[in-house]
Amino acid sequence: MAKPKVVLGVSGGIAAYKACELLRRLTESGHDVRVVPTDSALHFVGEATWSALSGNPVSTEVWESVHEVPHVRIGQAADLVVVAPATADMLAKAAHGLADDLLTNTLLTARCPVVFAPAMHTEMWEHPATQENVATLRRRGAVVIEPAVGRLTGVDTGKGRLPDPAEIFEVCRNILNRHGLARGAAAAPDLAGRHVVVSAGGTREPLDPVRYLGNRSSGKQGYALAKAAAARGARVTLVEANTGIADPAGVDVVHVGTALQLREAVLKAVADADAVVMAAAVADFRPAVYAAGKIKKKDDGGAPTVELVRNPDILAELAADRALPGQVVVGFAAETDDVLANGREKLRRKGCDLLVVNEVGERKTFGSEENEAVVLASDGAETPVPYGPKEALAETVWDLILPRLRSTT
Ligand code: CTP
C-alpha cells in the first residue's frame, strides 16, 4: 500500500524546532512527509534539516520546479496537511485565503483534513483577531489544536505553547485512521463547527482533609470520547475529575474534584454546546459535613457514623433544562444486573437522548482499555457495540450523536 502523504507546513516561530520531532515521528511510522516551511521558518530551522529528516526536497516558493506546478500538486496529493507551529500570521493568512508562498497555496489546494497546531504568545492567541480567524478555520472544517499552557519564549508563561509533538502526532494519526486515507469532500471532519462537552473520571467527595468517598472510574472512556470528537473537528471541552491523565491536545480541559464542582463546570460549558456526553461517574451522595480537621479514632473503640446527603443529578438536569434547543444529551450507565432493563428504565428516568449501557463487574470496564456496550436511544433504537477498544465505542457514540445534532443552517 502506498504510504499516506502528509504535508508538514512550518511557519516562523521558535517552536519550529519541535516540528523536527513531529516530522521524525511521522516518517518513522510510515508516512511520506513533504515539509513546506515558510521563509521565516527557515530562520529557525534550515532547509537541510527538513530535507534530511523527511527524505524529500524542500521548497518554500512557488517559483521552483514550476513545470511540476508544485503550488497545486502538493496540496492536491496530500492525505493530511498539518501546520506546526502555526503562527498568528499563518492562521490569519489561512483564514483569509491568502496565497503568497508555497504553504499558503498548498492550504488552498488541499482537499484533505487540515490540522493547525498554533504557537504564539498568550496575548496574540487571545486577541480577538486571532480568535476570529481560529473560529473561521474551525467552521470550515480545519482542526485547530488548542495551544498548551506553560513556558513561552523569554520570561513569559501562559497559553500559547506548541503542544507536545507526540500529542500532535496522535491527533494526525487519529484523523488519518478515521478517514482511511479517503480523499475529497467526504473526508471533511463531520463534527467541524460543533462544540461538544464531555465529562470524564470519577468525583471525590471529601470527608476530612485526608479522606474522600470516591469510585473506580478511570476516565479512559471519557478521554477516548474527547479525543475522537477533536479528531472529527469539534471544539471539545473536557470536564475531568481525578483521572491523572495528561491533557489531550486539541481539547480544552477543566479540572474538577467533586460532584458539585463538576456540575458547575459542565453547566457553564454547555451554554453554547451542540452535545454533552456525561461519561463521568458522579457520586450520588456526599458527606453531609466536611470535618475541617482529620477525624480521629476514639478511645471507646467505636467508629463514627457518616451522614450522607444527595448530590444533584446533573444528567437529568441537563436533559430537563437544555441550554439550547435541540442540544443532544448523552448519559452512561454502569450496571451489574438486569443490564438492559435497568438501562431502558434509566434512559426514561433521566430524559436523555442516548444512554450508553455497560455491564460492570470485578474485572469488567473499570480501568481497562476495552469496553462492550449497548447504546439505547430515546426513539427506541438499540445499538450493540461489541467488545473492543474504548476508542471504537467513542466513534460509535459520535456516529449516533451526529444525525441527532440540531441544524445549524
Ligand atoms: N450522573 C449525574 N449526576 C449524578 C449521578 C449520575 O449526572 N449525581 C450521570 C452519570 O454521569 C451517568 C449517568 O448519570 O451519565 C448514570 O449514572 P448512574 O450512577 O448509573 O445513575 P444513577 O441515577 O445514579 O442510578 P443508580 O440508581 O443505578 O445509581
Side-chain angles (χ1 to χ4, degrees), residues 145-146 226-227 230 236-238 247-253:
I145 300 178
E146 286 291 309
K227 286 185 188 182
V236 185
T237 306
L238 173 65
D247 294 354
V251 172
D252 250 339
V253 187

Side-chain angles (χ1 to χ4, degrees), residues 76 148 164 181 202 242 260 266 271 291 323-324 336 338 358 384:
Q76 279 177 338
D164 187 354
L181 302 185
N242 310 300
L260 293 180
V266 168
L324 288 177
T336 49
D338 287 339
N358 46 46

Side-chain angles (χ1 to χ4, degrees), residues 199 259 262 277-285 311-316 318 330-335 346 349-350 355:
S199 69
L262 189 125
V277 183
M278 287 290 295
V282 183
D284 289 321
F285 312 100
N311 272 329
D313 187 327
I314 307 166
L315 178 62
L318 289 169
V330 183
F332 269 70
E335 303 288 343
K346 199 168 280 182
R349 179 160 45 89
K350 302 246 184 186
L355 189 74

Side-chain angles (χ1 to χ4, degrees), residues 28-372:
E28 283 180 1
S29 55
H31 299 86
D32 179 13
V33 189
R34 179 85 193 240
V35 183
V36 183
T38 62
D39 268 339
S40 32
L42 293 181
H43 286 292
F44 293 98
V45 179
E47 188 180 324
T49 304
W50 300 122
S51 181
L53 287 176
S54 68
N56 274 322
V58 171
S59 42
T60 62
E61 295 216 17
V62 293
W63 307 117
E64 289 160 32
S65 315
V66 175
H67 62 287
E68 291 169 8
V69 212
H71 74 289
V72 178
R73 294 283 173 264
I74 295 174
Q76 279 177 338
D79 295 301
L80 179 89
V81 177
V82 49
V83 184
T87 57
D89 180 62
M90 179 51 60
L91 294 173
K93 282 181 172 157
H96 292 276
L98 299 190
D100 59 358
D101 63 7
L102 189 57
L103 179 53
T104 45
N105 274 273
T106 299
L107 288 170
L108 283 186
T109 52
R111 292 294 174 270
C112 57
V114 178
V115 178
F116 291 93
M120 63 198 72
H121 260 67
T122 314
E123 291 82 354
M124 296 175 91
W125 171 251
E126 287 176 350
H127 194 284
T130 305
Q131 286 302 306
E132 276 168 35
N133 290 332
V134 168
T136 301
L137 291 168
R138 283 181 173 153
R139 202 173 50 247
R140 289 192 198 129
V143 174
V144 184
I145 300 178
E146 286 291 309
V149 176
R151 182 82 196 272
L152 303 170
T153 321
V155 294
D156 297 340
T157 56
K159 189 164 185 172
R161 261 171 84 86
L162 187 75
D164 187 354
E167 293 274 351
I168 305 173
F169 170 69
E170 205 186 319
V171 171
C172 295
R173 202 179 42 182
N174 284 345
I175 293 174
L176 282 168
N177 286 345
R178 175 165 164 69
H179 293 292
L181 302 185
R183 301 219 178 110
D190 50 14
L191 290 173
R194 302 290 188 170
H195 177 211
V196 302
V197 178
V198 178
S199 69
T203 65
R204 289 181 184 173
E205 310 300 319
L207 194 55
D208 68 17
V210 293
R211 303 186 180 93
Y212 58 81
L213 297 180
N215 61 67
R216 296 170 59 195
S217 174
S218 68
K220 286 179 185 165
Q221 186 61 64
Y223 274 67
L225 281 156
K227 286 185 188 182
R232 292 169 77 146
R235 177 161 74 84
V236 185
T237 306
L238 173 65
V239 180
E240 171 284 333
N242 310 300
T243 63
I245 306 176
D247 294 354
V251 172
D252 250 339
V253 187
V254 184
H255 300 276
V256 298
T258 65
L260 293 180
Q261 290 166 353
L262 189 125
R263 175 178 175 273
E264 197 185 325
V266 168
L267 291 186
K268 185 165 171 231
V270 295
D272 66 347
D274 296 282
V276 49
V277 183
M278 287 290 295
V282 183
D284 289 321
F285 312 100
R286 66 179 185 277
V289 182
Y290 171 73
K294 186 181 169 196
I295 301 170
K296 296 295 231 182
K297 287 190 289 293
K298 297 243 171 63
D299 290 340
D300 62 6
T305 304
V306 177
E307 191 191 335
L308 300 176
V309 291
R310 283 283 286 268
N311 272 329
D313 187 327
I314 307 166
L315 178 62
E317 192 177 341
L318 289 169
D321 197 7
R322 308 207 179 203
L324 288 177
Q327 185 175 69
V328 180
V329 178
V330 183
F332 269 70
E335 303 288 343
T336 49
D337 312 287
D338 287 339
V339 179
L340 274 182
N342 280 333
R344 289 187 193 112
E345 205 278 313
K346 199 168 280 182
L347 175 76
R348 202 185 42 72
R349 179 160 45 89
K350 302 246 184 186
C352 50
D353 302 295
L354 297 172
L355 189 74
V356 186
V357 186
N358 46 46
E359 192 176 344
V360 290
E362 271 301 295
R363 284 189 305 281
K364 279 188 175 163
T365 304
F366 285 118
S368 83
E369 304 294 336
E370 254 106 30
N371 214 344
E372 179 181 5

